[in-house]
Amino acid sequence: MAQIIVDVMPKPEILDPQGKAVTGALARLGYHDMSVRQGKRFEIEVPGEVTEEHLAEVRLAAEQLLANTVIESFDVRVQH
Amino acid sequence: MAQIIVDVMPKPEILDPQGKAVTGALARLGYHDMSVRQGKRFEIEVPGEVTEEHLAEVRLAAEQLLANTVIESFDVRVQH
């Protein structure tokens, strides 16, 4: 079973309140000097081998559903 | 600026309602045969080079804060 990974992250110019909250919580736990941004990770299983067609479909799906491309960027890759 | 990535995913034996919802929504959009699991991705910036000490700290932080290890597994790696 092949797996395609889609990482969705807030764009650099966009405020990331989740990441800010995690950065603050880490500092309170004693982990200073860490700056965190939080995004989403999707693991998508497709039947059989991953083809270029699968990847094109997943890219479209990411644009339409997985990421809000106004504020998020995404990256699609095959997991071996 | 070095970056450490923490991926947090629901454990295989745990139901994943977010992933199920995304799988269903993709099918309704015409993307069949895709099975999705959804997790979180953290991009953590540390000052200077990534050392073994940084990685050990991030692993501890992941256990304490980023992942709920009862239901989630996590993976820590350096992004080059």
Side-chain angles (χ1 to χ4, degrees):
Chain A
M1 202 55 132
Q3 224 178 32
I4 302 172
I5 306 294
V6 182
D7 289 324
V8 176
M9 295 300 295
K11 290 184 179 178
E13 66 273 22
I14 299 289
L15 280 178
D16 170 19
Q18 284 184 305
K20 279 243 178 325
V22 173
T23 303
L26 285 175
R28 284 191 294 280
L29 284 175
Y31 303 106
H32 300 284
D33 294 330
M34 291 187 188
S35 166
V36 182
R37 288 184 79 77
Q38 180 171 350
K40 290 174 283 186
R41 173 186 166 96
F42 297 93
E43 295 182 353
I44 302 176
E45 293 206 341
V46 296
E49 286 291 291
V50 173
T51 61
E52 271 306 314
E53 208 185 329
H54 284 137
L55 283 171
E57 268 199 358
V58 169
R59 271 187 212 106
L60 263 175
E63 267 188 44
Q64 289 181 277
L65 187 80
L66 306 179
N68 175 353
T69 54
V70 177
I71 57 169
E72 293 169 326
S73 59
F74 66 88
D75 179 60
V76 174
R77 64 180 193 283
V78 180
Q79 178 98 299
H80 293 288
Chain B
M1 202 57 132
Q3 224 177 31
I4 301 172
I5 306 294
V6 182
D7 289 325
V8 176
M9 294 302 294
K11 289 185 180 177
E13 66 273 21
I14 299 290
L15 279 177
D16 169 20
Q18 285 185 304
K20 279 244 177 324
V22 173
T23 303
L26 286 174
R28 285 190 296 279
L29 285 174
Y31 303 106
H32 300 283
D33 295 329
M34 291 187 187
S35 167
V36 182
R37 288 184 78 77
Q38 179 172 349
K40 291 173 281 185
R41 172 185 166 95
F42 297 92
E43 295 182 353
I44 303 177
E45 293 205 340
V46 296
E49 287 290 294
V50 174
T51 61
E52 271 305 314
E53 206 186 330
H54 284 137
L55 282 172
E57 267 199 358
V58 168
R59 270 186 214 106
L60 264 176
E63 268 188 42
Q64 289 181 277
L65 187 79
L66 305 180
N68 175 353
T69 53
V70 178
I71 57 168
E72 293 169 325
S73 59
F74 66 88
D75 178 61
V76 174
R77 65 181 193 281
V78 180
Q79 177 98 300
H80 292 290

